[in-house]
Amino acid sequence: MAVTDDRSVALCRILLRLQLRRLREARGLTASAVAKQFGWSTARMTRLETKDTAVEIGDVRVLCDLYEAPRELREELENYALITKTKKDWWDQKPYKGLIPAWFQACLGLEAAAKTIRIYQSEFIPGLAQDPGYARAILSLSEDTTEATQETQAEVRKKRQSILTRSGTRPEVTIILNEAIIRRPVGSPDVMRQQLQRLLSLAEEPNVTVRILPFSAGAHPAMHGPFTLWDFEDETVGDLACLENLVDGGVLSDREMVEPFIAAYNRLEELAGSDAESVTMIRAVVSSL
C-alpha cells in the first residue's frame, strides 16, 4: 500500500481516480453503463474518475463489488476515500482557508507528495523558489488583491517551500528558468537582488538544481509556456503535468497528454546552461544591480 501521510491527501485522490477508472476499463465497462446500473448520472461517474474531489466510501465499495476488485486493493481504495473525506491540509485551515482555489490546493498536495519536481518557467521565478519580497511584488500586480491578502499569499509560498528543506525525504527539484527572468526587474533593485541570492542559496541545496536557459539557445520546445512535472514513489500515478494560466490551472494525468511535456523538458535540459554556468550567470546579474 502506498504511504498515506499528511503530505499525500491530493495524491490519495488521484490514486483513487486512476484505480477506479482502470478497474472499470479492465472489466470492459463504460462509465455510462456503470452509472445506469446504480441509477447514477453519467456526470457523477465522471466526477468520480476525473475530478479532484472527496469520494464517498460507499461509492467505492459498490464499485469495487461490481469490478470484483481484489481484497487488498479494495482496502487500499477505501482507505484513500477515507483520507479524502476526513483529512485537512494546512491550506484548508485559517488563515489560508478560502484564499486558495481548489485547483491550486490539489497542486500543493501533489507538489508536497512528489518524489521529483521539474519546473520550467518563462516569465517569473516560480512560487516554490520565490523570496518574500519578490512574491509580494508579483502578487501586487493583481488589481483585486489587498495588502493583507498579499501578505497571506506570500506566507503560503513560504510554507510550501518548506518541502525543499524538510527533515526526512525531500523531493529532487530541477528548476529551469528562461534567461529573461533573471534580467527582468521585478520590484526594487534590492528586491531583485535578494531574489537572485535566494536562487543561489537554493542551488547549494543537495536536492535542488537551478539552471538558466540562455537566449543563445534560440527556439525551444517549451515556447508555448511554463509547466511543472511531478513524479511519485507510487508507480501507479506515473508522471503528472501541471499547467497554469492567468486565472486558473489544472493537472494532466493521461500519459499521452503528459509525454509531450516530458519530451520538451528533456530537450530543455540539453539546451540549458550547466549548474556552474547558470550560477555564474545569476551572480553576474546580481553584481550589476
Side-chain angles (χ1 to χ4, degrees):
M1 181 182 293
V3 175
T4 52
D5 58 22
D6 290 338
R7 299 193 303 269
S8 59
V9 178
L11 184 57
C12 287
R13 288 177 177 172
I14 199 163
L15 280 166
L16 184 55
R17 299 201 309 263
L18 289 172
Q19 291 284 31
L20 288 175
R21 187 175 67 183
R22 288 170 183 172
L23 283 169
R24 175 180 58 76
E25 291 173 344
R27 300 291 295 178
L29 298 169
T30 65
S32 58
V34 174
K36 184 177 181 180
Q37 177 153 340
F38 294 120
W40 298 347
S41 66
T42 302
R44 180 173 177 177
M45 278 297 297
T46 300
R47 286 195 300 272
L48 284 170
E49 294 186 355
T50 65
K51 301 299 182 182
D52 186 72
T53 185
V55 178
E56 298 292 339
I57 297 177
D59 289 349
V60 173
R61 286 173 177 162
V62 296
L63 289 171
C64 285
D65 285 341
L66 177 63
Y67 303 150
E68 297 181 358
R71 183 172 62 83
E72 184 177 352
L73 178 57
R74 179 189 181 111
E75 291 176 354
E76 186 171 343
L77 297 186
E78 289 180 7
N79 186 39
Y80 290 156
L82 178 64
I83 289 171
T84 69
K85 293 290 290 184
T86 60
K87 279 188 175 292
K88 286 189 177 182
D89 294 292
W90 59 263
W91 51 82
D92 200 33
Q93 302 175 35
K94 293 182 178 181
Y96 312 106
K97 185 176 178 62
L99 292 178
I100 305 174
W103 70 267
F104 193 59
Q105 291 179 25
C107 290
L108 289 175
L110 293 168
E111 179 180 79
K115 178 180 68 175
T116 64
I117 301 172
R118 297 195 289 172
I119 302 170
Y120 170 66
Q121 180 54 257
S122 58
E123 296 299 326
F124 53 82
I125 304 294
L128 199 58
Q130 286 180 6
D131 180 78
Y134 186 96
R136 294 186 188 94
I138 292 292
L139 291 166
S140 68
L141 298 174
S142 177
E143 295 181 357
D144 59 351
T145 302
T146 66
E147 185 173 338
T149 301
Q150 290 174 25
E151 289 298 319
T152 301
Q153 292 180 340
E155 184 65 22
V156 168
R157 282 162 167 75
K158 182 177 178 181
K159 286 186 72 69
R160 64 186 284 215
Q161 289 170 8
S162 65
I163 68 170
L164 300 178
T165 55
R166 69 189 178 203
S167 58
T169 304
R170 303 176 184 177
E172 292 292 328
V173 180
T174 300
I175 301 172
I176 298 181
L177 305 175
N178 189 313
E179 183 178 348
I181 292 174
I182 63 173
R183 299 194 180 280
R184 177 179 294 111
V186 173
S188 67
D190 188 52
V191 165
M192 196 64 191
R193 186 181 301 108
Q194 289 185 49
Q195 174 59 78
L196 295 179
Q197 292 288 4
R198 166 71 174 161
L199 281 181
L200 292 172
S201 296
L202 284 175
E204 295 177 354
E205 295 290 339
N207 59 312
V208 180
T209 299
V210 177
R211 299 177 64 186
I212 306 300
L213 180 68
F215 294 140
S216 60
H220 58 83
M223 294 179 74
H224 59 278
F227 61 94
T228 297
L229 292 170
W230 297 308
D231 188 23
F232 300 86
E233 202 71 49
D234 193 315
E235 295 181 358
T236 303
V237 185
D239 292 285
L240 302 179
C242 178
L243 308 180
E244 299 181 43
N245 58 42
L246 187 61
V247 295
D248 62 12
V251 178
L252 301 178
S253 58
D254 290 340
R255 184 163 183 80
E256 62 270 20
M257 297 290 289
V258 177
E259 283 182 341
F261 291 95
I262 296 174
Y265 204 92
N266 290 341
R267 181 59 178 152
L268 289 176
E269 291 186 311
E270 295 173 358
L271 294 171
S274 67
D275 298 13
E277 289 169 340
S278 299
V279 165
T280 297
M281 289 180 68
I282 296 171
R283 285 175 175 164
V285 176
V286 171
S287 297
S288 69
L289 292 173

